[in-house]
């Protein structure tokens, strides 16, 4: 997320996650400030980043982890950056960090913009269900299909189990968002799926 530094790989402080080749989406974790919208942060020319497409002066100078110094348009700031490991969140491609800026503590979630867009696509089936059209159910996390409980042409009830995907040694049940008929089954047991892959269609 910085414009002119070499990436550090100290996983304890999360430096590797802050040095990404593409844009990331950064949002406050749920809490008192949850009403603040996430922003897209991308690399810019030396000493700059882009925030939602706008260039802003910012340069992160790593110190001894987790300490660093942030040079920004409003001045310099002492920060602490600490990774908060969470296997379930990591399986979904999201990393949470504790950030302390001049004594103010925040928790932020960081996700690649590309993955976030895939996640939006995977979640769009809820809107399709509300409109009454066919619902494409897509993988919201990468994993392996453990079982498929329906076949094409089967009638399903809202909330009925459709299949199970295993990720990070945890099994995640996919349930039907509405009553209908299974129009297509795109995966089978043992198949590996990536974020955004089509699993099945409910009509």
């Amino acid at each position: 997320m910085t414009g002119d530094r070499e990436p550090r790989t100290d996983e304890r402080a999360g430096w590797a996650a802050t040095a990404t080749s593409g844009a990331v989406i950064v949002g406050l974790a749920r809490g008192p400030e949850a009403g603040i919208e996430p922003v897209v942060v991308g690399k810019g020319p030396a000493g700059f980043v882009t925030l939602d497409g706008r260039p802003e002066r910012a340069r992160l100078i790593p110190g001894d982890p987790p300490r660093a110094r942030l040079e920004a348009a409003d001045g310099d700031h002492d920060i602490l950056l600490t990774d908060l490991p969470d296997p379930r969140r990591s399986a979904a491609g999201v990393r949470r960090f504790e950030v302390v800026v001049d004594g103010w503590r925040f928790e932020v979630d960081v996700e690649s913009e590309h993955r976030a867009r895939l996640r939006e696509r995977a979640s769009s089936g809820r809107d399709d269900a509300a409109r009454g059209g066919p619902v494409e159910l897509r993988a919201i996390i990468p994993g392996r299909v453990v079982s498929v409980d329906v076949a094409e042409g089967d009638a399903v009830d809202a909330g009925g189990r459709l299949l199970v995907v295993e990720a990070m040694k945890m099994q995640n049940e996919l349930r039907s968002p509405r009553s209908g008929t299974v129009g297509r089954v795109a995966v089978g047991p043992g198949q590996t799926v990536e974020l955004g892959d089509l699993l099945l269609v409910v009509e």
Side-chain angles (χ1 to χ4, degrees):
M1 293 194 300
T2 68
D4 60 349
R5 68 178 180 85
E6 292 298 318
R8 298 266 306 259
T9 55
D10 192 319
E11 291 291 337
R12 292 178 297 114
W15 298 120
T18 65
T20 175
S21 58
V24 296
I25 291 182
V26 180
L28 288 175
R30 291 186 177 182
E33 307 88 0
I36 298 176
E37 292 296 321
V39 296
V40 179
V41 181
K43 288 187 176 181
F48 286 82
V49 297
T50 60
L51 298 179
D52 286 340
R54 302 186 312 273
E56 298 283 349
R57 189 173 77 83
R59 187 163 68 101
L60 184 66
I61 304 174
D64 292 330
R67 299 182 181 277
R69 188 161 187 81
L70 176 65
E71 295 180 352
D74 63 344
D76 295 350
H77 305 275
D78 292 318
I79 69 170
L80 301 175
L81 178 64
T82 306
D83 196 355
L84 300 177
D86 184 319
R88 183 177 292 274
R89 189 176 288 108
S90 296
V94 179
R95 295 186 70 177
R96 178 164 292 183
F97 296 90
E98 176 188 67
V99 183
V100 180
V101 183
D102 295 337
W104 292 89
R105 179 185 179 276
F106 305 91
E107 287 187 10
V108 298
D109 290 329
V110 179
E111 179 179 19
S112 112
E113 184 185 20
H114 175 68
R115 289 183 65 93
R117 300 304 176 226
L118 285 175
R119 190 179 310 286
E120 289 177 4
R121 181 183 177 193
S123 302
S124 64
R126 290 193 293 262
D127 295 332
D128 294 335
R131 291 192 297 267
V135 182
E136 291 188 346
L137 300 177
R138 296 177 178 273
I140 61 171
I141 54 175
R144 182 180 63 85
V145 178
V146 176
S147 64
V148 178
D149 299 286
V150 295
E152 292 182 8
D154 285 354
V156 293
D157 294 325
R161 194 172 86 169
L162 302 174
L163 55 81
V164 178
V165 175
E166 183 180 70
M168 299 291 288
K169 299 184 179 180
M170 293 180 287
Q171 294 194 351
N172 303 272
E173 295 183 348
L174 177 67
R175 297 185 176 273
S176 180
R178 69 165 197 209
S179 297
T181 302
V182 178
R184 180 185 175 191
V185 177
V187 295
Q191 184 173 337
T192 299
V193 295
E194 298 296 332
L195 176 67
D197 284 357
L198 178 65
L199 302 176
L200 50 81
V201 178
V202 175
E203 300 175 339

